[in-house]
Amino acid sequence: MATLKAHALFLLVAATSALLLSSAVDAICVSRKPQSLESASLKTLPQTPASFKRPPSGPLASLSASFKKPLSDALASLSTSKAAVAVDHMVADICHQTDYPDICISSVGAHLKGPADVLSLLTAEIEACTEKMKSAAAEVTKLAADPSASPATKMALSACDENYSSALDSLSSAQEAIAAHDAGTLNSELSAVITFVTTCDDSFAEMTMNSPLEGTGRILQKLGSNCLAIAARAHL
């Protein structure tokens, strides 16, 4: 009987020990996992949140500046582009009031100064016409110096040289008329420019000769016509 009691007591102690050991193992397993996660989280989380508020320095600052600069350049370029579009629209609007808008638009660009308006475009077109007239006068001088030119050709070229010189004087007087707000003189001088150019062409036609300046004369007449058309819109 004593033996049975001792055996039962042994089994009870063994079962209790096994239960306690199992609980201890579970406790160890469960507690280690959260500790591992907590440790990892503490390593990855920022220790000083205020560091995010400090401006970058060193290489980071250079990298940040390198991103900002292209953006500022792009904004400046966009602003310039908008201004250019506005000028282009103004030039197109005024030039389309002439008989030769394409020539007007292509010729004023190199001479336009300041904001685009009627007076600035008129001045630019007169300057473009003056530049072309000087080029034509130089071409006349070159043709007249050719030893192979016939006496009739040289005579016609002499007439062109005289008329182109007079046309340059009229263009200069037209510029002065703008400054003096003299609309009457302005229109008179610009009309004279076209007449002088036409007279040069006529000097070859009277001798039944093809003018070597025909193309040049045609452009000069169109530039002169554009000057008159723009001047008609100017309020001097």
Side-chain angles (χ1 to χ4, degrees):
M1 191 69 165
T3 303
L4 288 175
K5 286 182 180 181
H7 182 66
L9 182 60
F10 173 78
L11 289 177
L12 181 60
V13 171
T16 303
S17 298
L19 215 76
L20 289 173
L21 181 61
S22 175
S23 298
V25 170
D26 289 342
I28 291 170
C29 293
V30 170
S31 63
R32 280 183 181 178
K33 189 172 182 181
Q35 287 174 2
S36 176
L37 288 174
E38 182 180 1
S39 175
S41 300
L42 288 175
K43 289 180 181 179
T44 56
L45 287 176
Q47 299 301 312
T48 53
S51 63
F52 288 98
K53 299 179 182 180
R54 291 199 302 267
S57 59
L60 288 178
S62 300
L63 183 60
S64 176
S66 69
F67 281 105
K68 289 179 181 179
K69 192 174 188 305
L71 178 60
S72 62
D73 290 346
L75 292 175
S77 176
L78 179 61
S79 177
T80 302
S81 299
K82 287 182 178 179
V85 169
V87 171
D88 289 344
H89 280 310
M90 181 64 72
V91 170
D93 288 344
I94 296 173
C95 284
H96 274 87
Q97 302 301 316
T98 69
D99 289 333
Y100 309 101
D102 292 341
I103 290 179
C104 176
I105 292 171
S106 63
S107 61
V108 298
H111 304 280
L112 187 62
K113 302 176 183 70
D117 54 31
V118 175
L119 285 180
S120 64
L121 254 73
L122 174 58
T123 300
E125 190 73 332
I126 290 176
E127 289 180 0
C129 187
T130 300
E131 183 178 78
K132 185 64 178 178
M133 193 73 69
K134 289 179 179 178
S135 177
E139 188 177 356
V140 168
T141 301
K142 181 179 178 180
L143 290 171
D146 186 355
S148 64
S150 65
T153 299
K154 289 187 176 183
M155 186 179 296
L157 288 171
S158 178
C160 286
D161 182 62
E162 182 179 346
N163 280 282
Y164 283 169
S165 179
S166 297
L168 285 170
D169 289 340
S170 288
L171 287 168
S172 179
S173 297
Q175 293 278 37
E176 294 173 0
I178 294 175
H181 303 283
D182 187 349
T185 299
L186 174 63
N187 289 323
S188 176
E189 295 294 349
L190 291 177
S191 297
V193 170
I194 299 175
T195 300
F196 289 132
V197 174
T198 303
T199 302
C200 169
D201 294 337
D202 291 343
S203 63
F204 284 96
E206 289 171 0
M207 298 182 181
T208 64
M209 298 170 57
N210 292 326
S211 172
L213 301 167
E214 184 177 359
T216 299
R218 190 177 300 115
I219 293 175
L220 286 170
Q221 289 180 27
K222 291 178 179 180
L223 286 170
S225 172
N226 284 348
C227 288
L228 273 173
I230 298 172
R233 298 191 61 196
H235 301 287
L236 299 180

